[in-house]
Amino acid sequence: EWSKMSAVFSCHYLEFYQSFCRMQSTFGSPGRYGSYLLFISALSGTFLISTQRKSKQILWGLLCLASITSLILTLSRANWIGFTAMLAVALFPLTKGIQRKKIMIGLVAVVTLLMLAFGGSLIKPIFLRSASSFEHLQLSLQGMTLAEKYPLGIGLGKVGPASFSFEKLLTEN
């Protein structure tokens, strides 16, 4: 847990697997960091495809690769699904007919294989986090109650990593 006078943790451990650190940077949670990485990977991927100069392609390619690697290391299921959906939407207009179906099936197969390959002993902590899912539901309900009680918000300094100094709260809800 984070306390008022200490630094924000840059690591978030899994419920059943305390030796693996989920990436979260200074965003307060792996989910928030993953959402940022989705934007960065889409932006850098777009520039990678549209840039003609080789030096800029290398730069954008490295940024895109780093953001995707970090996204994988957040172990955020929602952001993985978002990345897969982003790829599907990006590839959809570029393909037609049977080629489109093959690419979509291939994309699902690759994602499934990657999950199994990276999963192994991590399958349970990544996908079967009952406490995590229950806690998210409970905190979402608390967030709705707070939004109803304080429709104009609860003040500055109570969002992002700073929110952990007051109480456990999903500020994105």
Side-chain angles (χ1 to χ4, degrees), residues 83-149:
F83 184 76
T84 306
M86 181 179 70
L87 278 180
V89 168
L91 292 174
F92 200 75
L94 302 175
T95 59
K96 293 182 180 150
I98 195 78
Q99 183 184 16
R100 181 178 287 170
K101 286 181 185 176
K102 285 181 182 178
I103 288 176
M104 293 304 149
I105 290 170
L107 186 61
V108 169
V110 166
V111 168
T112 303
L113 288 174
L114 283 173
M115 287 179 170
L116 291 175
F118 283 109
S121 63
L122 293 176
I123 293 288
K124 183 177 180 184
I126 293 173
F127 297 103
L128 303 175
R129 296 184 295 192
S130 59
S132 172
S133 299
F134 177 73
E135 187 175 25
H136 273 79
L137 176 63
Q138 191 175 28
L139 290 173
S140 296
L141 292 173
Q142 283 178 350
M144 286 187 261
T145 304
L146 270 175
E148 183 180 41
K149 187 174 178 182

Side-chain angles (χ1 to χ4, degrees), residues 26-82:
T26 57
F27 285 84
S29 75
R32 291 181 196 150
Y33 181 50
S35 298
Y36 164 77
L37 291 170
L38 283 175
F39 174 72
I40 295 301
S41 62
L43 191 63
S44 59
T46 301
F47 284 131
L48 172 66
I49 292 168
S50 63
T51 302
Q52 300 298 320
R53 291 179 47 197
K54 199 67 159 171
S55 60
K56 286 192 176 186
Q57 284 181 334
I58 291 170
L59 180 69
W60 290 118
L62 288 173
L63 180 60
C64 189
L65 181 65
S67 64
I68 292 170
T69 302
S70 291
L71 182 66
I72 291 169
L73 293 175
T74 63
L75 299 183
S76 174
R77 299 166 290 187
N79 287 309
W80 288 355
I81 292 168

